[in-house]
Amino acid sequence: MKLFIYHSPEETPISEMPECAIAVDVLRATTTMATVLANGGEAVQVFSDLDKLVEVSELFPVEKRLRAGERGGAKVPGFDLGNSPLDCKPELVEGKRLFISTTNGTRALQRIQSASTVITGAFVNLTTVVEYLAENQPETVWIVGSGWEGSYSLEDTACAGAIANHLLEKTKLSIDEVMGNDEVIGAIALYSQWKDDLLQMFKQASHGKRLLGLDCHEDLKYCSQIDTLDVLPMQQEPGVLKRYV
């Protein structure tokens, strides 16, 4: 198993695809997706284009759909939800499909949707991701951070490092056996530095500061928790993620 980490969708190769690709957008898309599915959502369907989201979701019964739109950290006017996992309560999402478009996370998913297996990871479902990789041992694995509009995001790389670190611990493989690019070592080092205070790291990160400016402190706290959800979102068809069982 060879593991590669890319800091943003723009950094990922376009001439090939791995056996398994993992999209990471800790603040907040992949945390929200895991929360929706853990709370009984039927599926999460992702879009980069808001108009396309509206068009496709119109084919679903009103009572079976929720539209979530976020741009610049803020909720898109006219949508049911923004991108806060705290809003995705069981009584709201159970049995429904979430149609979602965010600034960064949905772009990352669309960039890797041609991989044989596509899953999403965050700190809240870290162990489910690691256990899947350890059990299935895909030949090549890409962890793709969502970044921020094409640039580096501290929290996504730290989460990628957490996945790599815990995978090494669980499989007893050496770093030489697993490392596909230098980013793997850098991400593990970053996670190791902050693993005991992820919330403080979020507050230092540019996107964390952006969300604090939007009064999203509770979102940061929620997203900084490790293994609060026992759910693995997995792509069932291009752009559609369901709970892996």
Side-chain angles (χ1 to χ4, degrees), residues 12-147:
T12 60
I14 57 175
S15 59
E16 58 183 320
M17 276 291 151
E19 185 177 342
C20 178
I22 307 167
V24 175
D25 185 2
V26 174
L27 296 176
R28 297 164 287 172
T30 56
T31 303
T32 296
M33 292 170 190
T35 301
V36 168
L37 295 178
N39 286 342
E42 178 264 333
V44 175
Q45 190 162 350
V46 301
F47 298 83
S48 56
D49 182 76
L50 292 169
D51 292 334
K52 186 66 174 177
L53 182 158
V54 172
E55 177 187 335
V56 173
S57 63
E58 284 291 337
L59 303 175
F60 254 65
V62 175
E63 67 276 9
K64 290 291 185 179
R65 74 178 187 224
L66 288 168
R67 292 168 173 163
E70 171 265 319
R71 290 295 183 268
K75 176 177 173 288
V76 174
F79 278 57
D80 301 305
L81 298 166
N83 191 22
S84 174
L86 299 179
D87 293 336
C88 301
K89 306 293 186 186
E91 57 269 23
L92 177 64
V93 305
E94 189 170 4
K96 296 180 182 177
R97 178 169 296 206
L98 185 76
F99 296 85
I100 184 170
S101 179
T102 70
T103 306
N104 305 292
T106 51
R107 287 172 44 253
L109 273 163
Q110 291 198 323
R111 186 63 173 264
I112 59 175
Q113 69 181 15
S114 297
S116 300
T117 299
V118 177
I119 58 181
T120 67
F123 285 110
V124 293
N125 70 327
L126 175 63
T127 291
T128 64
V129 174
V130 172
E131 288 180 345
Y132 177 84
L133 296 176
E135 181 178 339
N136 291 276
Q137 296 273 328
E139 185 176 345
T140 53
V141 180
W142 292 0
I143 307 177
V144 180
S146 297

Side-chain angles (χ1 to χ4, degrees), residues 131-207:
E131 288 180 345
Y132 177 84
L133 296 176
E135 181 178 339
N136 291 276
Q137 296 273 328
E139 185 176 345
T140 53
V141 180
W142 292 0
I143 307 177
V144 180
S146 297
W148 177 261
E149 297 183 343
S151 62
Y152 176 90
S153 275
L154 192 67
E155 68 280 356
D156 290 345
T157 298
C159 186
I163 294 170
N165 184 77
H166 286 259
L167 182 63
L168 290 172
E169 291 179 352
K170 187 169 184 65
T171 61
K172 307 304 181 185
L173 293 169
S174 71
I175 187 68
D176 287 337
E177 291 174 289
V178 171
M179 187 182 78
N181 60 3
D182 286 355
E183 285 87 340
V184 174
I185 291 179
I188 290 173
L190 178 65
Y191 167 67
S192 298
Q193 179 179 348
W194 290 100
K195 63 182 181 179
D196 295 325
D197 198 353
L198 293 174
L199 180 58
Q200 187 58 37
M201 180 189 69
F202 288 3
K203 291 178 179 178
Q204 296 294 321
S206 58
H207 191 39

Side-chain angles (χ1 to χ4, degrees), residues 210-230:
R210 191 177 295 110
L211 291 173
L212 288 174
L214 294 168
D215 197 26
C216 294
H217 183 264
E218 292 303 314
D219 277 34
L220 264 63
K221 288 173 62 177
Y222 181 91
C223 295
S224 70
Q225 299 175 94
I226 291 181
D227 287 337
T228 53
L229 302 177
D230 182 20

